Amino acid sequence: NFLSENILVSYNYIDDIELIAVAIGPGSFTGLRIGLSYAQGLCLGRDIPIVGINNHQVLAENCPIGLSSVFTIINAHRDEVFLAKMNLNDKEYFEIESHVVIDKKNLVDEINGKSALIYNINFELDKSIINALIKKQISINSAQYSAAAIAKIGYKQYQQSGGDNLSEIEPLYIRP
């Protein structure tokens, strides 16, 4: 993180930052805490707004054109996944309608309608699940997390709703 700020300073970009968009999870407990703390410190020190972006929103950016409903999954380990049902809102970014932790074997029962399933390319989805979803005519796509997608969603969200409260923004933990 120190290196990234030094690069921004050395190329005179640090003073051009007007908004910070940061991934808030779900994900690694330590990684989320470190990333969010760094972003909060940068925002506080420079008096700039912050917007927290859910990792499910980042995956949903890869939804096939024409679909407004998408399910995204993130590995929760222990043969479970974080499953989010998302809808494209009139603000042009996906918002979470529901979010649960489920056993992978129950995934097919939870996904329905004319929709897509998007998951991280580093996650291995069982062939039996893929085949069952194909039978239900669900579009299946894998995608990567991307800083560019976080920035794009963050900018749209900021334009529509403003920034998050710097002292109240926190990582998204689904498990108790």
Side-chain angles (χ1 to χ4, degrees), residues 22-101:
V22 62
I24 59 169
S28 158
F29 178 86
T30 303
L32 292 173
R33 280 280 180 213
I34 291 169
L36 184 56
S37 295
Y38 179 78
Q40 285 174 302
L42 192 58
C43 289
L44 184 63
R46 301 225 172 253
D47 194 28
I48 54 178
I50 191 168
V51 176
I53 304 301
N54 187 300
N55 285 331
H56 287 287
Q57 289 176 287
V58 177
L59 291 175
E61 277 294 302
N62 297 281
C63 184
I65 295 172
L67 291 178
S68 60
S69 178
V70 62
F71 291 84
T72 56
I73 56 172
I74 296 173
N75 189 3
H77 303 289
R78 304 180 214 156
D79 286 326
E80 294 178 322
V81 294
F82 298 113
L83 172 69
K85 181 178 183 182
M86 306 181 72
N87 289 302
L88 188 60
N89 63 26
D90 59 351
K91 300 171 189 168
E92 299 180 15
Y93 58 87
F94 284 92
E95 287 186 315
I96 295 177
E97 182 179 304
S98 63
H99 198 209
V100 294
V101 178

Side-chain angles (χ1 to χ4, degrees), residues 61-175:
E61 277 294 302
N62 297 281
C63 184
I65 295 172
L67 291 178
S68 60
S69 178
V70 62
F71 291 84
T72 56
I73 56 172
I74 296 173
N75 189 3
H77 303 289
R78 304 180 214 156
D79 286 326
E80 294 178 322
V81 294
F82 298 113
L83 172 69
K85 181 178 183 182
M86 306 181 72
N87 289 302
L88 188 60
N89 63 26
D90 59 351
K91 300 171 189 168
E92 299 180 15
Y93 58 87
F94 284 92
E95 287 186 315
I96 295 177
E97 182 179 304
S98 63
H99 198 209
V100 294
V101 178
I102 63 166
D103 192 298
K104 281 194 290 187
K105 66 184 176 195
N106 297 328
L107 189 59
V108 175
D109 296 332
E110 297 291 326
I111 299 175
N112 52 38
K114 185 178 179 187
S115 60
L117 171 66
I118 303 172
Y119 59 95
N120 184 281
I121 63 170
N122 296 326
F123 180 70
E124 193 169 316
L125 197 55
D126 298 337
K127 294 240 186 253
S128 61
I129 293 173
I130 291 173
N131 291 335
L133 290 170
I134 289 171
K135 284 182 183 176
K136 289 178 80 170
Q137 297 182 331
I138 303 296
S139 173
I140 304 169
N141 300 286
S142 61
Q144 282 189 300
Y145 296 112
S146 137
I150 294 169
K152 178 182 171 185
I153 299 164
Y155 183 70
K156 286 179 187 178
Q157 206 165 302
Y158 181 73
Q159 285 182 314
Q160 297 292 323
S161 309
D164 290 320
N165 184 317
L166 186 60
S167 63
E168 293 178 8
I169 190 171
E170 58 185 34
L172 174 66
Y173 299 126
I174 309 302
R175 292 188 194 275

